Amino acid sequence: MKSNINIQVELDDEKMPELIEWNAPGGGVDGMQKAQALLLGLWDAHEKSALRIDLWTKKMMVDEMNDFFYQTFFGMADTYLRATKNKELAAEMKEFAKNFLKKANSAETSEL
């Protein structure tokens, strides 16, 4: 059985993302859903290397990007724990995520 996750990116004249949409019909997400950003990581076992696609629209605000990265780091910690059962490193990853958000929000406030 195969399942698809479809991602469509609409670009402006300068090839910058204007619209990101996705769906996953096999997972119950039939209609296209809008997104402001996308971080996709793939593991190439043969090459032993990570491949990434990082996209965000021009409308993505800095505070949204800070929250997006915080939630991504935090979620990665949960995934890491499920995959490895390493509670100590997962906890460190979550602590890093919390400190990241504090510093990111502090930096944003000081720039105003």
Side-chain angles (χ1 to χ4, degrees):
M1 178 175 162
K2 290 187 177 184
S3 181
N4 291 318
I5 298 171
N6 306 298
I7 300 168
Q8 296 179 357
V9 181
E10 187 175 309
L11 305 174
D12 67 10
D13 294 336
E14 297 171 0
K15 297 189 178 181
M16 297 296 294
E18 272 193 327
L19 179 66
I20 300 170
E21 294 181 309
W22 69 279
N23 74 351
V29 183
D30 294 320
M32 295 303 282
Q33 304 292 309
K34 290 183 181 181
Q36 292 279 353
L38 161 74
L39 301 176
L40 176 64
L42 303 166
W43 178 249
D44 183 330
H46 178 72
E47 294 293 325
K48 301 268 188 237
S49 66
L51 309 169
R52 291 187 1 237
I53 299 173
D54 305 331
L55 299 173
W56 59 94
T57 67
K58 296 184 284 187
K59 295 177 184 174
M60 184 87 170
M61 303 301 292
V62 172
D63 64 324
E64 292 175 309
M65 187 63 84
N66 291 342
D67 288 339
F68 180 45
F69 269 78
Y70 163 72
Q71 291 180 32
T72 299
F73 291 146
F74 210 87
M76 287 173 62
D78 288 334
T79 301
Y80 182 78
L81 177 60
R82 283 194 314 275
T84 67
K85 308 294 187 253
N86 190 327
K87 293 178 184 179
E88 185 178 328
L89 280 179
E92 282 187 40
M93 292 171 72
K94 287 185 176 187
E95 193 60 34
F96 170 81
K98 292 174 190 175
N99 288 329
F100 167 85
L101 187 60
K102 285 180 196 171
K103 289 178 182 180
N105 287 340
S106 177
E108 185 182 350
T109 303
S110 69
E111 291 177 6
L112 296 178

